[in-house]
Amino acid sequence: MDWGTIINNTLAGLLTPTTIAFALAALGLAMHFGFAGLLNFGIAGFMAIGAYGYAISVLTFGFPWWGGMIVGIIGSILFAILLGVPTLRLRGDYLAIVTIAAAEIVRLLFLTTAFTDVTGSADGLFGYNNSGGFTSANPFPPGSYGWGPWTYNSETLWVLTFGLGVLAVCVWFLWALMRSPWGRVIKGIREDEEAIRALGKNVFAYKLQALIIGGIFGGMGGIIYAAFANVSPGVYVTSITFFIWTSLLLGGAATIWGPVIGAVIFWTLQAFLSNILPELALAGILPVSGTQAATLRFVLVGIGLMLLVIYRPQGIFGDKRELTFVK
Amino acid sequence: MSNSDSPQKSTGLHIGEAGPGCKKTDPMLIIDHVKKSFGGLTAVDVEHLEIPKNAITALIGPNGAGKTTLFNLLTGFDTPDTGEWEFLGTSLSGVPSYKVAQMGQVRTFQLTKALSLLTVLDNMKLGAKNQVGESIFRALFPRSWRKQDAEIEIKAIELLKRFKLDTKQADFAASLSGGQRKLLEMARALMTDPVLVMLDEPMAGVNPALTQSLLGHVLDLKKEGMTVLFVEHDMHMVRHIADWVVVMAEGKVVAEGPPETVMNEQAVIDAYLGAHQDTDLGVVTGRISIIDQEKDK
Ligand SMILES: Nc1ncnc2c1ncn2[C@@H]1O[C@H](COP(=O)(O)OP(=O)(O)O)[C@@H](O)[C@H]1O
Ligand SMILES: [Mg+2]
């Protein structure tokens, strides 16, 4: 077995545009679920809207890259309002059902051939980073940067820098909100919204605000992902939502850094498994074929998620007392 | 302690003869034709009811009489099929619950709602009204809310001292006992500076030692100029602190009057004995002894 390659690829997974994109999405879920108690199972939908909003406004409407990204964010805000207004007055489970369905609807709308001219259908969209000017906004001259597993060309370095900047702003934003009296109301709503209503707070408005803030983070995640890869409807599937949930629960739902570090651990682990499992199959240690071994990692993710929820529901960084699923 | 002597009762609350729906000299809440059904069951059907200002009114009645449902309707947590009611001259029909609370009509719940995974102090601070930092935009600028937050904290700690919870302020509310949670919920309600405090079974599940101080707190509310409406099953307790008693049975107000007389009315005895043979919950909870001891002093 080529341990060198395996270790190298695993370490590279620590810092990639994908890791940053999913850290952002997990941060959005932390706002939704960890702090406000909103069960959003449609975070992939927010990412899709961010990504498509950016790509479509550049490709179809000729927006500059930053304008396209703003459109992506506005799209996520509208999506949050669309989901929240009819459901946030109802019991929490309704939001879960509506979000999971809405995310699928969004994906299928992008996938259908009815709007191929705009959405690219199954092929997705590409070239917008060039035509929107994101690529040429790169301040780093061409070349090779970094060291060892973390060696990047200037394009990747630009996306990483941009993504880390966005992530830093979002982390600060969430931290600033959650230490404020606004954050106190949000956590109170998570605990018991009727009690908060009885104290004179407009619970619906707060829940909608939380849904929008988390939705923006999710949309930003989609945008960062799109700034690196192409936009493809195959990415924004329900399993991505569950990967993000796993990252969140891994790090700790009701924490600021938990979702970020959870995402890093999750994608590093993914990189490790996708490298080692086929090798193990090849070496005859695993009684499966190479392709089967590659999908085996998703089975392991599922088992990991179950073990996590059972044995450490507060995540790695969470306070045991602060988040347990069973109340 | 304020409750070691017999409390000062308010009198002259009503106009004319005391009875279901009688007028009050100075009403705080006026309820008309409020009706609520769940399926075929009429949970509340109140023709007319006035709650006197600056007095302690007890709402009693057997289980299922509709007391909690009436609370829910009056505070906007549920909407009636018909009827209107006004609070200090303002109609409250259709007003959402959070606005009702903002107007100074605050309630607690029969099943205590402590915000378990928030600290006791944060529970309290949530009660304060008009907080600048609760607006999402200003929340980002601590300079706009720090000072107010510090003031709120001082007020919260003072109240916690009064309720003997100050040593617990850094603990999660989840770690409190059932009785302490009741106290916390009541203290938190007081953080809103209410004019009308509605307590749904504040003494249920509270151990006798705490009951004593809870009674004291309820009496203190009146001294501070607040109006109290509370649901309670224990007749001894009601007799001890209530200025006025409203009796409900099967959704209707069947009797009203000062505690000394209303408890002996046939309608009340029927309401209770019809539903329960063991009216005297005081015996079960052992609270009688406390009040008897007090009387002996
Ligand atoms: N949400 C509800 N759905 C159906 N029935 C209800 C509901 N809430 C209360 N009830 C019924 O209404 C009646 C009055 O209940 P409640 O107001 O809780 O009584 P109390 O507080 O006086 O014990 C009971 O018969 C109860 O079963
Ligand atoms: Mg009740």
Side-chain angles (χ1 to χ4, degrees), chain B residues 67-68 110 200-201:
Chain B
K67 306 178 296 293
T68 297
Q110 182 170 352
D200 199 349
E201 303 202 15

Side-chain angles (χ1 to χ4, degrees), chain A residues 121-195:
Chain A
S121 180
D123 295 336
L125 298 168
F126 35 84
Y128 48 86
N129 284 321
N130 282 325
S131 61
F134 180 75
T135 316
S136 52
N138 187 353
F140 303 107
S144 179
Y145 296 85
W147 161 88
W150 302 287
T151 308
Y152 308 105
N153 62 21
S154 78
E155 273 168 38
T156 312
L157 183 67
W158 169 221
V159 180
L160 283 176
T161 313
F162 184 76
L164 282 176
V166 169
L167 183 63
V169 171
C170 290
V171 164
W172 174 82
F173 197 71
L174 186 61
W175 169 80
L177 280 177
M178 290 319 298
R179 67 158 174 180
S180 76
W182 184 88
R184 192 159 61 211
V185 177
I186 291 292
K187 284 190 245 174
I189 290 172
R190 177 189 72 198
E191 294 304 307
D192 192 320
E193 59 176 82
E194 296 229 310

Side-chain angles (χ1 to χ4, degrees), chain B residues 36-39 41-44 59-72 78 110 200-201 231 233 248 251:
Chain B
K36 174 77 185 178
S37 311
F38 294 108
L41 176 103
T42 305
V44 168
L59 181 60
I60 66 169
N63 284 326
K67 306 178 296 293
T68 297
T69 308
L70 182 63
F71 262 43
N72 287 343
D78 205 344
Q110 182 170 352
D200 199 349
E201 303 202 15
V231 174
H233 281 295
M248 278 182 82

Side-chain angles (χ1 to χ4, degrees), chain B residues 235-253:
Chain B
M235 296 305 162
H236 301 272
M237 202 100 70
V238 168
R239 205 168 292 152
H240 186 61
I241 65 168
D243 302 307
W244 191 259
V245 178
V246 175
V247 188
M248 278 182 82
E250 289 168 5
K252 292 190 164 64
V253 174

Side-chain angles (χ1 to χ4, degrees), chain B residues 112 114 116 173-186:
Chain B
T112 323
S116 311
S175 70
L176 300 182
S177 72
Q180 287 172 325
R181 284 183 210 193
K182 285 260 172 204
L183 283 174
L184 174 62
E185 197 184 15
M186 189 164 152

